[in-house]
Amino acid sequence: MKRIMTKSLLVLSVSAMMTAAAAAHAAEPQQPQPVQAVPISAAASVEAIAIEIDGVKLTETGYRASATAETMIPLRAVTEKLGFTLNWKQEDLSVDLSKGPLFTTVKTGDDRYAVNKMYKTLGAAPVLLDNKLYVPASFVVEVLHGRAVTEGSKVTISMEQPQHMQTTGVITSVYQGDKRASIQIQGAGVDGLVLNIGEDTVIQSHDGKTLTLSDLHIGLTVEAEHSLAATLSLPPQTAAFKVTVLDTDIKQELLGTSGTIEEARTGDNGEISVVIKGQGLSDQSPDEVILRVSDKTELLRQDGTQAAAADLVKGAKVLGFYSPVLTKSLPPIGGAVKLVVHPEAAE
């Protein structure tokens, strides 16, 4: 009797969903809705899946269409229980989820799950049934970095305590958009690491004073506490839990150029200057610049440890940070505030 009721309910649910989808399609034929549904022919093998989150059983259940199919769980019920905020977008049947620095988007019928601006597939697309969006249970593991263990007709979910690691580097870019923000350290372009900044990310000075994202700029040396989980993109991206500015003297409006030392010169007075050619790190930064190195110039390696003047040789990859006060010559000449050098890249 129970099995007959299960099949009947599923058929009714699918029928209701298909009717609603058809009505929506008729009302707006120019924007077809990409809705997926469990085929009626599979109803006989559909199994209800109980869900337990941190020891508490949900009233809502998931389902499995067959013994070999993915276990599907209700997105809103699960993620809200895990502390996420959801924003449903009716125009394309997608959902934005956010919690601290973690942000992702799920779209009905599309097996592409956004993680830190990259996409990954999970083997099953989100399914909309009875106005509820279902995603694979692996979504909790692969996207939310939690735990989801399926045993028989039950899936147990929890959010593991995030594993942290610390990375030190110099900021090469700062991005602040309407929905997300990030900084890049230890390199520019496809190099280095992108740290995604959320509402819960702590930003502070070396002496513990609270800072905001607007206080950060290129050229600052920071120590970041971030997740071990990162995307496979270039550069990789990860969620930042804490960002600490290590500079005791924060200089505003620095310019920066990422490139290679084309020439290293030593004047008669012993003053060193380097010609850097590559790419400017901001709209105001030139792609080629000559920087004078003084005893006030901070010389660092990629990991924030101290470098030496002997590392400034032709062919070395370098990040040069300098005052916006430059000569009008070509290339312009300025004073180096901070140089981050990769001596291992020298010829």
Side-chain angles (χ1 to χ4, degrees), residues 194-211:
V194 172
L195 300 166
N196 291 305
I197 308 296
E199 293 181 358
D200 296 333
T201 303
V202 176
I203 304 176
Q204 63 181 25
S205 63
H206 70 284
D207 55 0
K209 293 181 181 178
T210 300
L211 301 176

Side-chain angles (χ1 to χ4, degrees), residues 157-210:
I157 296 172
S158 66
M159 291 297 289
E160 292 181 326
Q161 201 60 21
Q163 295 177 298
H164 299 189
M165 67 177 297
Q166 289 185 332
T167 302
T168 300
V170 178
I171 297 176
T172 58
S173 71
V174 179
Y175 171 78
Q176 185 168 15
D178 293 336
K179 294 184 178 179
R180 63 192 72 179
S182 65
I183 62 174
Q184 185 171 348
I185 64 174
Q186 290 198 340
V190 297
D191 297 325
L193 177 68
V194 172
L195 300 166
N196 291 305
I197 308 296
E199 293 181 358
D200 296 333
T201 303
V202 176
I203 304 176
Q204 63 181 25
S205 63
H206 70 284
D207 55 0
K209 293 181 181 178
T210 300

Side-chain angles (χ1 to χ4, degrees), residues 80-82 145 156 158 184-185 213 241 270:
E80 285 187 339
K81 185 68 175 179
L82 294 174
H145 310 307
T156 303
S158 66
Q184 185 171 348
I185 64 174
L213 185 65
F241 304 110

Side-chain angles (χ1 to χ4, degrees), residues 27-334:
E28 296 183 74
Q30 74 281 9
Q31 294 183 350
Q33 304 287 333
V35 178
Q36 271 194 331
V38 177
I40 297 177
S41 59
S45 58
V46 168
E47 180 182 9
I49 303 296
I51 301 172
E52 184 177 290
I53 300 179
D54 294 329
V56 179
K57 185 176 180 180
L58 290 189
T59 55
E60 295 191 30
T61 62
Y63 71 88
R64 188 162 49 224
S66 68
T68 59
E70 295 280 345
T71 296
M72 305 296 287
I73 58 175
L75 180 67
R76 180 174 293 276
V78 170
T79 55
E80 285 187 339
K81 185 68 175 179
L82 294 174
F84 284 80
T85 299
L86 288 79
N87 179 34
W88 171 257
K89 294 186 290 186
Q90 181 63 31
E91 60 272 16
D92 62 353
L93 301 182
S94 67
V95 177
D96 290 337
L97 293 90
S98 61
K99 180 181 180 182
L102 181 60
F103 176 89
T104 188
T105 297
V106 176
K107 186 176 181 180
T108 302
D110 193 355
D111 185 14
R112 293 198 312 160
Y113 299 83
V115 184
N116 295 327
K117 304 178 186 177
M118 295 294 294
Y119 288 99
K120 62 169 57 181
T121 60
L122 300 181
V127 176
L128 187 63
L129 289 174
D130 290 340
N131 295 318
K132 293 179 184 179
L133 193 61
Y134 292 80
V135 296
S138 57
F139 177 85
V140 175
V141 179
E142 299 294 334
V143 181
L144 305 184
H145 310 307
R147 290 184 69 251
V149 179
T150 301
E151 296 178 333
S153 58
K154 175 183 176 182
V155 58
T156 303
I157 296 172
S158 66
M159 291 297 289
E160 292 181 326
Q161 201 60 21
Q163 295 177 298
H164 299 189
M165 67 177 297
Q166 289 185 332
T167 302
T168 300
V170 178
I171 297 176
T172 58
S173 71
V174 179
Y175 171 78
Q176 185 168 15
D178 293 336
K179 294 184 178 179
R180 63 192 72 179
S182 65
I183 62 174
Q184 185 171 348
I185 64 174
Q186 290 198 340
V190 297
D191 297 325
L193 177 68
V194 172
L195 300 166
N196 291 305
I197 308 296
E199 293 181 358
D200 296 333
T201 303
V202 176
I203 304 176
Q204 63 181 25
S205 63
H206 70 284
D207 55 0
K209 293 181 181 178
T210 300
L211 301 176
T212 65
L213 185 65
S214 60
D215 294 315
L216 303 182
H217 58 79
I218 64 172
L220 287 178
T221 303
V222 298
E223 181 181 75
E225 185 176 336
H226 60 85
S227 171
L228 282 174
T231 67
L232 298 178
S233 58
L234 290 176
Q237 301 183 31
T238 188
F241 304 110
K242 181 188 291 185
V243 176
T244 302
V245 176
L246 301 182
D247 299 73
T248 56
D249 182 17
I250 299 179
K251 296 179 174 61
Q252 297 291 339
E253 300 181 3
L254 289 181
L255 302 183
T257 299
S258 170
T260 304
I261 295 179
E262 295 287 300
E263 186 178 357
R265 309 166 180 169
T266 302
D268 295 337
N269 59 356
E271 183 182 76
I272 299 173
S273 62
V274 292
V275 181
I276 302 174
K277 187 174 182 179
Q279 184 175 5
L281 298 178
S282 65
D283 293 338
Q284 296 75 34
S285 303
D287 293 336
E288 185 174 2
V289 65
I290 300 173
L291 297 180
R292 296 187 297 267
V293 182
S294 69
D295 56 0
K296 294 183 179 180
T297 302
E298 190 174 1
L299 300 178
L300 300 173
R301 297 182 184 273
Q302 183 183 20
D303 60 0
T305 58
Q306 189 171 1
D311 295 325
L312 302 175
V313 296
K314 181 179 179 180
K317 290 180 63 176
V318 68
L319 295 166
F321 301 95
Y322 44 93
S323 165
V325 179
L326 301 170
T327 66
K328 295 183 179 180
S329 59
L330 291 175
I333 303 172

